[in-house]
Amino acid sequence: MIYGAIVSAHMLGEVDCIMRRQYLGSSDLHVSVVGLGTWAIGGDFWGETDDAQSMQAIQTALDSGINLIDTAPAYGAGHAETVVGKAIAGRRDEVVIATKCGVVRTKDGFERNLKPESVRQEVEDSLRRLQTDVIDLYQIHWPDVDTPLEDTLAALKDLQQQGKFRYLGVSNFGPELMEQVMREMDLVSLQPQYSLLQRDIEQETLPFCRRHNIGVLSYGSLAAGVLTGKFKERPAFAEGDQRYHFYPFFEEPLWSQAQELVGVLREIAESRGKPTAQAAINWVVQQDGITSALVGCKTPDQARQNAAAGTWTLTDEEWQIIDGAYRRIFSS
Ligand SMILES: NC(=O)c1ccc[n+]([C@@H]2O[C@H](COP(=O)([O-])OP(=O)(O)OC[C@H]3O[C@@H](n4cnc5c(N)ncnc54)[C@H](OP(=O)(O)O)[C@@H]3O)[C@@H](O)[C@H]2O)c1
């Protein structure tokens, strides 16, 4: 089936060559280096979305060689999972499904909740919404300081033994918490924020993951769209849009620094006849230790464009020029 997806993309003439894939940590999940993120298609906090278009975007991503879809119950209070479930119906065997637990929607917003009874309920809800009987990668979304981690892990171990999910991952964890997890269970992946504009994990977390063969799925790889170069001036998002709250790149001085860096990315991308977004995605994917860049998209066009990043690479020299520009711009 996966081969079929690649062939259909070729027949459409939409990709240069075959999408690169890598194994996720110690698992047998062979995932595309570009993964599809579904926060935006949850339908809230991220501008306008349209479910029919979101489903087309997901199907286009699969047709373009993407086989990794990341979602979470927190995205639209389950809506993103429901849309993913509908979009992949009949194509389940082409997809590595990654979803999460531990961020629960409440009347007033979100709460972190890793209590065993909540996690048990969440996994059942996710399976139902995704229309599947097993989740490939189940990730703890954020730490919950009010619940002892060992209690959560005991519940997760039980759920894994029951066959509810295949592999465990975490998100937004540092080395210390990951070590705690690894004492109890096999940990195959970390999902941290990582992009050319957010490189904190390079200090300790990424080396830790490399040492322990933990796969890394970067989120915010396009810095919420800033690294596509499409915003000519600071966008005026509607009140409540999470992009302003979650990502700091729309505020000065980061905004102007980001624009300078986008100029360098654009120049390199244009010299290769590629869109700027693809150079930004490949810079992430080509960092040692990154397995896949998760990239959010709302339209089939974005899905097709972003998937195509996985079919070519920056040269070492191009990668270094971008890295050097980052160091120059952000050291001032
Ligand atoms: N674990 C966590 O705590 C966590 C946190 C955040 C995200 N995530 C995951 O990581 C995924 C990726 O991160 P993200 O969605 O927050 O940010 P992102 O991938 O950096 O940005 C995605 C946004 O950029 C715009 N875009 C994408 N491709 C484009 C293209 N080719 N041309 C122009 N614009 C384009 C789209 O928004 P517009 O069209 O509206 O501009 C899209 O929604 C999420 O969807 C989610 O699955 C996880």
Side-chain angles (χ1 to χ4, degrees), residues 35-41 46-48 70-72 75 100 139-142 171-172 191-193 195 218-226 228 230-231 237 243 246-247 275 277-278 281 294-299 301-303 305-306:
L36 179 70
T38 64
W39 186 11
I41 67 169
W46 198 290
E48 300 237 324
D70 178 72
T71 186
Y75 305 158
K100 312 189 187 82
Q139 306 157 104
I140 299 178
H141 202 152
W142 283 89
S171 179
N172 303 301
Q191 187 181 136
Q193 186 179 159
S195 72
S218 65
Y219 74 71
S221 315
L222 285 177
V226 172
T228 66
K230 70 178 176 180
F231 298 120
F237 297 132
R243 281 171 287 194
F246 195 84
Y247 293 110
Q278 292 183 18
I281 294 168
L294 298 176
V295 188
C297 51
K298 300 200 299 200
T299 66
D301 246 17
Q302 289 179 350
Q305 266 200 34
N306 298 338

Side-chain angles (χ1 to χ4, degrees), residues 46-47 60 63 65 91 102 109 159 174 178 182 189 206 230-231 234 240 243 251 255 304 312 320 331:
W46 198 290
T60 301
D63 292 340
R91 303 181 73 171
L159 291 167
M178 283 192 275
M182 288 155 65
S189 65
L206 195 53
K230 70 178 176 180
F231 298 120
R234 276 197 290 167
R243 281 171 287 194
E251 299 296 333
W255 170 258
R304 198 176 293 115
W312 65 281
Q320 294 297 347
S331 69

Side-chain angles (χ1 to χ4, degrees), residues 138-318:
Y138 202 46
Q139 306 157 104
I140 299 178
H141 202 152
W142 283 89
D144 165 16
V145 292
D146 296 323
T147 306
L149 188 54
E150 55 271 30
D151 292 358
T152 307
L153 293 173
L156 285 169
K157 210 187 270 186
D158 187 36
L159 291 167
Q160 190 176 32
Q161 276 160 6
Q162 289 175 38
K164 305 287 182 188
F165 67 90
R166 295 190 61 213
Y167 293 104
L168 180 71
V170 292
S171 179
N172 303 301
F173 274 38
E176 216 174 293
L177 278 178
M178 283 192 275
E179 269 174 346
Q180 262 194 58
V181 174
M182 288 155 65
R183 283 197 282 274
E184 304 293 330
M185 292 178 77
D186 289 337
L187 177 65
V188 305
S189 65
L190 169 71
Q191 187 181 136
Q193 186 179 159
Y194 185 62
S195 72
L196 257 169
L197 296 182
Q198 174 44 271
R199 299 179 60 173
D200 289 355
I201 63 164
E202 289 175 22
Q203 303 300 313
E204 290 179 23
T205 303
L206 195 53
F208 178 90
C209 290
R210 281 196 293 259
R211 273 200 309 282
H212 294 279
N213 193 21
I214 294 169
V216 178
L217 307 174
S218 65
Y219 74 71
S221 315
L222 285 177
V226 172
L227 289 170
T228 66
K230 70 178 176 180
F231 298 120
K232 302 299 172 226
E233 49 193 50
R234 276 197 290 167
F237 297 132
E239 210 184 308
D241 193 304
Q242 281 298 301
R243 281 171 287 194
Y244 270 149
H245 302 290
F246 195 84
Y247 293 110
F249 320 117
F250 299 99
E251 299 296 333
E252 293 294 4
L254 274 178
W255 170 258
S256 295
Q257 290 169 315
Q259 298 318 301
E260 211 180 324
L261 191 56
V262 165
V264 176
L265 274 175
R266 183 181 292 120
E267 211 171 294
I268 287 183
E270 278 176 359
S271 74
R272 300 286 298 271
K274 308 288 184 189
T276 307
Q278 292 183 18
I281 294 168
N282 275 336
W283 186 91
V284 167
V285 165
Q286 289 178 239
Q287 174 69 270
D288 187 17
I290 301 293
T291 314
S292 300
L294 298 176
V295 188
C297 51
K298 300 200 299 200
T299 66
D301 246 17
Q302 289 179 350
R304 198 176 293 115
Q305 266 200 34
N306 298 338
T311 66
W312 65 281
T313 51
L314 294 163
T315 64
D316 285 350
E317 196 194 349
E318 288 166 340

